[in-house]
Amino acid sequence: MKDFSFVTNSHPAFIESLYNDYLKNPETVDPEYKKFFEGFDFAISKNGATDAKATASIGGGVTLSNDQLTKEFAVYDMIRSFRKRAHLIADTNPIRPRVDRKAKLAVSDFGLSDADLETEFFSGTFIGLGKAKLKDIYQKLSKIYAGSVGIQYTYINDTDTYNWVEAHFEAFMQEEFTFEQKKRILHKLNYGVIFEKFLNTKFIGQKRFGLEGGESMIPGLDAMLTAAADEGVQEVIFGMAHRGRLNVLANILRKTYDQLFSEFEGTMPADMTMGSGDVKYHLGFRSIVKTANEKDLNLQLLPNPSHLETVDPVVAGFARAKSDAVYNSDYSKVLPILIHGDAAVAGQGIIYELLQMSKLKGYAVGGTIHFVINNQIGFTTDFDDARSSIYCTSLAAMVHAPVLHVNGDDPEAVVKACIFAAQYRQKFNADVFIDMVCYRKHGHNEGDEPKFTQPSFYALIEKHKNPREIYTEYLMTHGTPEAQNLAKDMEKVFWDEMQARLDDNKQNPMPYTYQKPELAWQELRKGQEEDFVKSPDTAVSTEVITELFQKLMKWPESFNPLRKVQKLLTDKVKLFDESQKIDWATGELLAFATLLKEGYDVRLSGEDVKRGTFSHRHATLRDEKTNEEYNRLAQLSDDQGKFFIYNSLLSEYAVLGFDYGYAMANPSNLVLWEAQYGDFANGAQIIIDQYLTSAEQKWQTQNGLVMLLPHGYEGGGPEHSSARLERFLQMSAENNIYVTNITTAANYFHMLRRQLALPFRKPVVNFAPKANLRHVRSYSLVTDFTTGGFKEVIDDPNIEDVSKVKRVLLCSGKIYFDLSEKQLAENRTDVAIVRLEQIHPLPQEQLNALYQKYSGAQWLWVQEEPKNMGAASFLKMNINKPINLGYLTRKASAATATGFAKLHAQEQQMLVDQAFSF
């Protein structure tokens, strides 16, 4: 939006000149001026004008003086400036005066004066008044844009979106709620306040992270859900931190007080094998509720950790998966709602990543509604220490998402903002923000003393009435007699309901109908100890392998792949036909293809995954003439599952969270996230810690996500050698995740297929090869794909006489090839090399059998990683008798690897030589 101040401060003759140019040819005038002149002409033709001194001639014989034309422009500029900047003066703070942001919206700021207040201006048309007095125009602008809701939207570039927001907001803010709507608002507000008062009375001093001061969110969310359902939404996925979570569970998702009581009292489930549990304000829930307009809506609140905003990408991925699985990828049917705190939404970088994902093909969810509970404070940090921007929601402008700032003490305004947000999301399938400015009655939790750090602010809060009391008084003093009686009646209802809760009156849980993905989850069970002794059979027939291989190696006749890629595929066909072997990349694609053939969906996402970081995968091809993309796995058969593959934005945290959420929603798909290099996964450490490795124990939430982390010491330096195997192993316990470091194409194939063959779901963290993607000894025979299953341990195939073996080298991953090449080159029949393909759960029984087989030999663990990294520490703690294991590693190091290629080669050779020296 342009600033017109330079025009309104110009000589009147300049404005007349602009107008005359417009009359001659409207297309030669700036679009903003054209809009003014078009509206101006319409206003004059409609209202007429005959009393102006003639200098500018208007259509229809009407003339205006230069001075009047200048003032008309000034009024138009004032209207536009209110739309742009009135949010800076809107009455959105319920506790204290707003900071003066120099909005410059006084009449005098536009070259007008009090003397003009009674003058009528045609520019009133631009605010829906027609020809009107300046005072009436100013009053209407103040009511719409500077009342309890302030809106930011003028950075939106799309004209249709911009015009809709402007027109809809101006009309909606002037609408009056019906008596029934006000009744529901007060009813929901009652319940929001009752809940907090009840918990404060029943569980004195317990942490609950109450909503007191922000209870208007409850009628707001209720109205949002009603509006969303009316616009076609069938399912809502909530993500939120702890503030107000219990209130939302009780009053929006209808979790019963009985269910919440047991959580407050810390009641342990009888079967603790399901997990160690989590605190009450982290738990998830699902229900089906009826909206105010009697429409059924499926609601899900996902479990979350204390790490604020970490749940956000998980919600997005979950919503995307539900849309794909249940609603045929119609994203308008599933609405993600994220409830933020003001300090977190401003301070946590995950919000930036999530917004950058919001319009990308692989991660779009049809728009998210962001609701900020703006307490004007962090834990103890004032907002002016918590951000550099004016608003905690300033990031919204990056994706042109409108922001509605609203006073939390005005529940009707909050409800309007929520309805507007739902309608906007459904119309434009884009993100929208609500910034509800309120307060936090207590400290960070109910046992905290906020006056230690904000004494004056909390002195104001202490005297402040809650939103229910304020709205009740408003209805009694400003409402119709009907509304006044409603307020009195609801006051009695409030206290009766409060007493009923205190008297432990029982509530019936809401009935729930399970969806197809949820039924699929119910068919699974939790893993038992015996499940991890040996993997199931995941072989497919030779006919299936051959059929799918041939389809993978073909493309349409009209398609022109790059010559280099064509040669790569030709070489793969030659390898298959002449040697009956399959390389690593083809083994992976065959795993996907066989699952797709069986009706499962497969999703692979991450940086550069279509081609692969190391140019090995080529799951999609590009036509070198047209740049058209060909998906090699989408054309296998008419009834196959769907194959989704997306190159991600340069993010680990949000993308891994998204893919984790996607896998969380539906067990009947294989979901993979690949890091560009394995060490980049540490950018997503919070997701790994709080979800991937611990969610099943905390929330009984299984997940089958596969993480592919390129790992291996090849002289690439400290940043591209290690995927930090030791970190994942340190978090490995209670069979929570699979940790694999695989050496053959067939074993990788079986690992991927195992994910959907198991009667439960576990995440896999696979330490994937880099250079060894093309190592001829990583190739597998076709028969390895058509027999057996995943091998947790691979014995040495080169040992013929066990009695000659004096040393067994136990290793994992890339180091195997370095050791094996020396073994073969020197014909060392006295050294056996055993590969530990799965490090967790540790295949102790299989290792015991091999230990017995090589009973006369010394066993030595050999790893590329330094002593303080890799699997050495894990094995020392977890490998059991009778195995007696020595350890050969690089020396302990602060960095993962040297940055000098020659030093790396020396270290590597020394490891290999020492392994064979005895």
Side-chain angles (χ1 to χ4, degrees):
M1 177 185 277
K2 291 183 174 64
D3 185 350
F4 276 6
S5 59
F6 80 95
V7 178
T8 54
N9 292 329
S10 300
H11 191 279
F14 175 66
I15 298 175
E16 180 189 358
S17 173
L18 281 175
Y19 184 63
N20 287 330
D21 288 344
Y22 164 76
L23 291 176
K24 291 175 186 175
N25 183 359
E27 300 307 317
T28 64
V29 178
D30 184 287
E32 295 285 355
Y33 305 153
K34 180 184 175 186
K35 183 177 179 181
F36 165 73
F37 290 132
E38 284 174 344
F40 189 57
D41 275 359
F42 171 77
I44 291 175
S45 65
K46 186 175 180 181
N47 294 286
T50 56
D51 56 350
K53 294 178 181 179
T55 57
S57 179
I58 311 296
V62 177
T63 57
L64 293 179
S65 69
N66 284 344
D67 181 61
Q68 188 170 355
L69 188 59
T70 301
K71 287 189 175 182
E72 289 284 1
F73 226 121
V75 175
Y76 179 56
D77 190 21
M78 181 181 74
I79 292 169
R80 296 173 78 259
S81 296
F82 259 82
R83 288 168 175 160
K84 183 177 182 180
R85 300 195 299 276
H87 59 86
L88 296 170
I89 63 169
D91 182 22
T92 55
N93 197 319
I95 298 296
R96 52 191 172 187
R98 292 196 60 181
V99 175
D100 182 7
R101 304 292 184 184
K102 305 293 188 283
K104 295 189 177 298
L105 290 173
V107 168
S108 58
D109 290 314
F110 302 94
L112 302 166
S113 68
D114 290 350
D116 297 308
L117 291 175
E118 295 296 326
T119 304
E120 292 186 333
F121 291 92
F122 294 108
S123 292
T125 300
F126 294 103
I127 194 67
L129 288 174
K131 186 178 181 183
K133 292 180 179 179
L134 178 61
K135 69 175 184 181
D136 295 331
I137 295 171
Y138 194 88
Q139 183 180 22
K140 185 171 183 181
L141 286 170
S142 299
K143 181 180 179 182
I144 292 173
Y145 284 102
S148 292
V149 182
I151 186 171
Q152 288 180 279
Y153 72 98
T154 54
Y155 40 67
I156 295 173
N157 286 336
D158 182 79
T159 304
D160 291 339
T161 306
Y162 183 102
N163 291 338
W164 184 92
V165 170
E166 183 176 287
H168 194 62
F169 181 81
E170 290 180 0
F172 193 36
M173 288 302 113
Q174 297 177 78
E175 288 182 14
E176 184 72 20
F177 281 128
T178 65
F179 172 73
E180 285 301 318
Q181 288 171 319
K182 291 181 179 182
K183 182 178 180 180
R184 188 169 180 95
I185 291 170
L186 186 53
H187 179 72
K188 290 296 175 181
L189 199 53
N190 259 359
Y191 276 109
V193 175
I194 285 171
F195 183 79
E196 299 298 343
K197 284 184 176 291
F198 166 75
L199 292 185
N200 197 40
T201 306
K202 183 95 172 176
F203 301 101
I204 297 170
Q206 276 210 41
K207 286 184 185 180
R208 53 189 168 86
F209 298 97
L211 191 58
E212 287 124 314
E215 293 98 334
S216 292
M217 180 175 75
I218 299 303
L221 290 179
D222 175 71
M224 183 188 292
L225 297 182
T226 297
D230 289 345
E231 297 290 336
V233 171
Q234 295 184 30
E235 185 165 353
V236 176
I237 315 298
F238 286 96
M240 66 182 297
H242 36 279
R243 177 76 53 213
R245 185 182 186 91
L246 300 178
N247 207 317
V248 169
L249 279 166
N251 291 310
I252 299 300
L253 282 90
R254 315 286 176 83
K255 190 171 189 177
T256 69
Y257 279 46
D258 290 342
Q259 290 168 308
L260 288 166
F261 289 163
S262 64
E263 291 158 11
F264 261 94
E265 290 158 2
T267 304
M268 291 192 301
D271 181 10
M272 280 297 288
T273 60
M274 278 299 286
S276 51
D278 198 1
V279 292
K280 53 193 169 288
Y281 38 82
H282 289 170
L283 303 177
F285 192 70
R286 62 190 173 199
S287 60
I288 294 176
V289 302
K290 280 199 181 296
T291 68
N293 292 337
E294 293 297 310
K295 293 190 175 177
D296 286 337
L297 206 52
N298 185 302
L299 307 182
Q300 309 232 4
L301 174 65
L302 298 193
N304 71 287
S306 276
H307 293 63
L308 302 179
E309 310 300 339
T310 295
V311 73
D312 298 351
V314 179
V315 166
F318 193 95
R320 172 76 173 236
K322 292 301 285 289
S323 297
D324 287 342
V326 182
Y327 305 102
N328 197 28
S329 300
D330 183 351
Y331 304 133
S332 68
K333 300 294 185 187
V334 182
L335 168 64
I337 297 176
L338 297 177
I339 302 175
H340 311 278
D342 53 313
V345 78
Q348 294 293 305
I350 190 66
I351 305 297
Y352 175 87
E353 294 186 30
L354 189 68
L355 289 177
Q356 283 289 24
M357 293 165 67
S358 65
K359 298 182 180 181
L360 301 182
K361 183 179 178 182
Y363 307 93
V365 293
T368 297
I369 297 180
H370 303 262
F371 191 108
V372 181
I373 305 173
N374 189 342
N375 298 312
Q376 309 182 60
I377 190 172
F379 193 143
T380 65
T381 304
D382 288 313
F383 73 84
D384 49 3
D385 290 323
R387 60 180 185 265
S388 297
S389 57
I390 292 175
Y391 295 114
C392 62
T393 54
S394 292
L395 202 61
M398 179 181 72
V399 291
H400 296 176
V403 182
L404 296 104
H405 306 279
V406 58
N407 191 318
D409 269 1
D410 187 343
E412 289 192 11
V414 174
V415 166
K416 281 189 174 182
C418 288
I419 293 172
F420 181 95
Q423 293 172 339
Y424 175 88
R425 189 270 181 177
Q426 287 304 97
K427 184 166 185 65
F428 298 105
N429 294 129
D431 286 40
V432 57
F433 281 72
I434 297 166
D435 173 24
M436 186 183 76
V437 185
C438 53
Y439 57 93
R440 188 184 69 195
K441 184 175 180 181
H442 304 287
H444 177 64
N445 60 60
E446 285 67 26
D448 192 38
E449 177 48 80
K451 286 187 177 178
F452 287 155
T453 49
Q454 282 80 23
S456 58
F457 185 43
Y458 271 86
L460 295 173
I461 290 173
E462 212 168 42
K463 302 171 187 174
H464 198 75
K465 294 179 179 178
N466 69 47
R468 185 193 71 86
E469 293 169 328
I470 292 171
Y471 189 48
T472 299
E473 289 180 6
Y474 169 81
L475 290 176
M476 287 182 172
T477 55
H478 293 84
T480 61
E482 190 178 31
Q484 292 171 354
N485 291 332
L486 166 67
K488 292 174 185 176
D489 292 342
M490 292 297 279
E491 181 78 2
K492 183 176 184 303
V493 169
F494 170 84
W495 291 108
D496 288 346
E497 289 278 1
M498 176 72 177
Q499 191 59 50
R501 295 289 174 265
L502 290 172
D503 291 342
D504 285 348
N505 285 8
K506 301 294 182 183
Q507 295 171 284
N508 294 320
M510 301 292 291
Y512 188 82
T513 303
Y514 291 98
Q515 298 171 330
K516 184 179 178 181
E518 293 164 345
L519 292 171
W521 276 117
Q522 289 187 341
E523 290 174 4
L524 300 176
R525 59 171 173 81
K526 60 186 179 183
Q528 307 289 342
E529 198 64 42
E530 56 269 21
D531 293 323
F532 302 96
V533 174
K534 185 179 183 297
S535 291
D537 190 324
T538 47
V540 297
S541 69
T542 304
E543 291 74 20
V544 167
I545 289 291
T546 304
E547 173 202 348
L548 294 176
F549 177 87
Q550 290 172 349
K551 288 182 176 180
L552 286 171
M553 298 303 156
K554 291 180 180 178
W555 50 85
E557 286 186 16
S558 59
F559 189 83
N560 303 287
L562 198 70
R563 289 187 182 88
K564 286 184 179 180
V565 175
Q566 190 168 350
K567 183 181 184 306
L568 285 174
L569 300 189
T570 301
D571 289 344
K572 292 173 189 285
V573 172
K574 184 178 179 181
L575 179 68
F576 186 89
D577 291 343
E578 295 182 2
S579 304
Q580 283 291 288
K581 285 187 176 181
I582 294 169
D583 68 356
W584 187 280
T586 308
E588 178 188 68
L589 296 185
L590 282 170
F592 298 160
T594 56
L595 292 171
L596 292 166
K597 181 180 176 65
E598 292 165 17
Y600 296 108
D601 292 344
V602 177
R603 175 188 168 93
L604 171 60
S605 121
E607 297 156 18
D608 314 302
V609 296
K610 290 183 177 181
R611 188 201 76 173
T613 300
F614 309 101
S615 197
H616 70 287
R617 180 173 289 119
H618 298 289
T620 66
L621 308 178
R622 289 283 183 179
D623 189 302
E624 66 176 349
K625 295 180 180 178
T626 66
N627 203 43
E628 179 188 352
E629 187 174 54
Y630 174 71
N631 187 331
R632 296 169 65 196
L633 285 138
Q635 323 293 333
L636 303 174
S637 67
D638 293 335
D639 58 349
Q640 69 171 76
K642 296 176 182 176
F643 180 66
F644 305 104
I645 185 167
Y646 302 105
N647 287 340
S648 76
L649 69 163
L650 196 66
S651 154
E652 288 79 36
Y653 187 0
V655 177
L656 180 61
F658 186 99
D659 287 330
Y660 180 91
Y662 197 96
M664 182 181 179
N666 183 6
S668 301
N669 54 25
L670 179 67
V671 184
L672 307 95
W673 175 79
E674 183 174 67
Q676 190 179 63
Y677 283 90
D679 52 310
F680 293 168
N682 61 13
Q685 198 65 48
I686 296 175
I687 296 293
I688 294 164
D689 291 354
Q690 307 305 322
Y691 281 99
L692 189 90
T693 60
S694 61
E696 185 173 4
Q697 281 295 308
K698 292 188 293 188
W699 309 311
Q700 293 81 58
T701 301
Q702 293 189 24
N703 197 296
L705 179 70
V706 177
M707 288 179 67
L708 302 177
L709 307 182
H711 172 87
Y713 283 58
E714 299 163 356
E719 309 308 326
H720 296 319
S721 295
S722 175
R724 294 289 190 173
L725 174 61
E726 64 281 354
R727 290 182 177 168
F728 290 93
L729 291 175
Q730 187 182 44
M731 292 182 282
S732 296
E734 302 178 293
N735 301 322
N736 60 333
I737 59 173
Y738 287 110
V739 178
T740 57
N741 196 0
I742 299 169
T743 57
T744 73
N747 218 25
Y748 180 44
F749 168 91
H750 289 297
M751 181 276 284
L752 293 174
R753 286 184 51 78
R754 180 179 69 172
Q755 281 301 90
L756 295 181
L758 293 166
F760 52 86
R761 295 290 177 266
K762 296 282 181 183
V764 171
V765 182
N766 182 58
F767 290 78
K770 294 179 291 181
N772 288 341
L773 291 165
R774 296 177 176 83
H775 198 295
V776 293
R777 293 179 57 218
S778 72
Y779 302 170
S780 297
L781 291 168
V782 171
T783 53
D784 293 334
F785 294 81
T786 59
T787 56
F790 177 73
K791 296 176 181 177
E792 291 84 358
V793 181
I794 299 179
D795 193 5
D796 194 328
N798 301 311
I799 297 298
E800 297 177 359
D801 187 348
V802 174
S803 66
K804 291 182 180 180
V805 175
K806 303 302 180 190
R807 175 175 281 186
V808 174
L809 303 179
L810 182 63
C811 64
S812 189
K814 172 191 162 288
I815 189 71
Y816 164 74
F817 295 101
D818 296 335
L819 295 170
S820 181
E821 280 165 16
K822 183 176 178 68
Q823 177 201 39
L824 295 175
E826 299 180 2
N827 193 27
R828 292 292 297 267
T829 58
D830 58 338
V831 178
I833 306 173
V834 174
R835 283 169 275 176
L836 187 58
E837 300 277 286
Q838 177 177 295
I839 309 172
H840 182 266
L842 190 64
Q844 184 72 47
E845 291 188 20
Q846 296 181 44
L847 288 172
N848 288 349
L850 288 174
Y851 194 75
Q852 181 66 32
K853 175 181 176 179
Y854 298 109
S855 59
Q858 176 203 34
W859 278 56
L860 186 67
W861 170 257
V862 185
Q863 67 177 40
E864 297 181 296
E865 300 86 356
K867 185 178 180 180
N868 56 321
M869 301 176 194
S873 297
F874 174 81
L875 292 173
K876 282 184 180 181
M877 286 191 295
N878 291 278
I879 204 157
N880 296 323
K881 293 181 178 180
I883 298 174
N884 184 16
L885 196 61
Y887 295 88
L888 177 59
T889 72
R890 278 178 167 85
K891 66 178 183 178
S893 171
T896 57
T898 178
F900 301 106
K902 286 186 177 180
L903 181 56
H904 159 77
Q906 290 171 9
E907 290 176 347
Q908 197 76 0
Q909 190 59 52
M910 190 180 299
L911 273 177
V912 174
D913 289 344
Q914 287 180 3
F916 286 86
S917 299
F918 57 92

